[in-house]
Amino acid sequence: MTKLSVNINKVATLRNARGGNNPNVLAVAHDAEMFGAQGITVHPRPDERHIRYQDVRELKPLITTEFNIEGNPIDSFIDLVLEVIPKQVTLVPDGHDQLTSNHGWDTIENKTFLTDVCRTFKAAGIRTSIFVDPDPKMVEGAKACGADRVELYTEPYASGYAANREAAIAPFIEAAQKAKEVGLGLNAGHDLSLENLHYYHQMIPWTDEVSIGHAIICDALYMGLRETIKQYLQALQ
């Protein structure tokens, strides 16, 4: 079964726009789990423009499903993850001023660094995933770094879906098959939505987890969070 992990960054963005604690990030995480989400994802950035480091600390004891913390493994991020000890950490190569993630790791060029980071997190008992583009060589590189999983960066699939979904999914199938071949778990995330999620899952049903935030929060404005999560779970059936 492919698990749905709800990224709540956009909830924090809305909260931070006015100050105070409305909407309440902790309450939304609790409700998402109650409505059927099988995981909660956060992506704290150094400028704390959405999820703050303190949010991460406060979320940990409240989450009853899987907690996934993603981000660039700079020193402060590594310290936070080792303090909190989530179920999974996802390594993402985003810059400090980057609006959103827009590429995966070059796992070959950064092998030494990523191997050290994977070793550090795995020694603490944290499942470690590396965010990669849909390239079998990058998947093999992640395996060589000691990762437990890869997360495929799915924006190219989402952007090409309407024009030619078969062509858009093709490189992802190839990368996903390589992950299976080398014994890596498989996650996916970025711009997945109700429009394109079911076909992605249909073509790569051995995906362990999808992490979705922006589309879920946008859909929830119209349908409500309970109904939105229900529909995303149905898309994964």
Side-chain angles (χ1 to χ4, degrees):
M1 182 183 70
T2 302
K3 293 182 178 180
L4 173 66
S5 185
V6 175
N7 187 319
I8 58 173
N9 273 27
K10 287 297 186 294
V11 178
T13 302
L14 182 59
R15 175 200 62 188
N16 296 351
R18 287 288 297 268
N21 197 33
N22 188 27
N24 186 312
V25 170
L26 305 184
V28 172
H30 172 269
D31 290 344
E33 289 185 316
M34 185 171 62
F35 298 153
Q38 295 123 336
I40 299 295
T41 291
V42 293
H43 188 146
R45 287 183 165 88
D47 62 6
E48 299 194 321
R49 63 181 182 268
H50 33 65
I51 286 292
R52 301 167 181 154
Y53 278 35
Q54 187 58 30
D55 292 329
V56 178
R57 297 183 179 100
E58 293 176 1
L59 281 162
K60 176 58 166 62
L62 300 179
I63 291 175
T64 59
T65 57
E66 289 197 355
F67 194 20
N68 172 45
I69 304 176
E70 60 181 29
N72 194 339
I74 60 175
D75 289 345
S76 60
F77 178 86
I78 292 173
D79 290 344
L80 177 68
V81 173
L82 292 177
E83 175 189 347
V84 172
I85 309 294
K87 179 67 175 181
Q88 177 175 267
V89 61
T90 302
L91 312 181
V92 182
D94 55 351
H96 71 279
D97 57 350
Q98 200 166 306
L99 180 62
T100 187
S101 306
N102 60 16
H103 65 283
W105 285 98
D106 184 328
T107 56
I108 298 171
E109 182 178 331
N110 296 283
K111 180 181 179 181
T112 299
F113 172 70
L114 291 172
T115 299
D116 288 344
V117 174
C118 286
R119 185 183 300 115
T120 295
F121 287 138
K122 290 178 69 175
I126 304 168
R127 185 173 68 224
T128 304
S129 177
I130 298 180
F131 194 66
V132 296
D133 296 320
D135 180 341
K137 292 182 180 179
M138 295 301 107
V139 173
E140 286 184 310
K143 176 68 174 181
C145 292
D148 300 298
R149 292 185 181 183
V150 288
E151 178 173 332
L152 299 183
Y153 170 55
T154 49
E155 190 280 333
Y157 162 73
S159 63
Y161 177 85
N164 187 333
R165 68 180 189 176
E166 291 83 6
I169 196 66
F172 290 87
I173 294 174
E174 186 179 5
Q177 288 174 336
K178 179 57 69 174
K180 183 192 295 187
E181 176 186 318
V182 301
L184 284 174
L186 184 65
N187 298 339
H190 208 91
D191 287 353
L192 294 174
S193 67
L194 286 176
E195 177 186 9
N196 58 47
L197 178 60
H198 179 70
Y199 181 71
Y200 186 94
H201 182 255
Q202 181 182 29
M203 300 305 292
I204 312 175
W206 62 93
T207 302
D208 291 298
E209 172 189 294
V210 292
S211 175
I212 307 175
H214 185 79
I216 283 179
I217 301 307
C218 290
D219 290 336
L221 293 174
Y222 294 92
M223 297 188 293
L225 188 60
R226 183 193 299 269
E227 179 62 23
T228 297
I229 290 176
K230 176 183 176 182
Q231 292 197 25
Y232 275 84
L233 290 170
Q234 289 174 341
L236 290 170
Q237 294 179 359

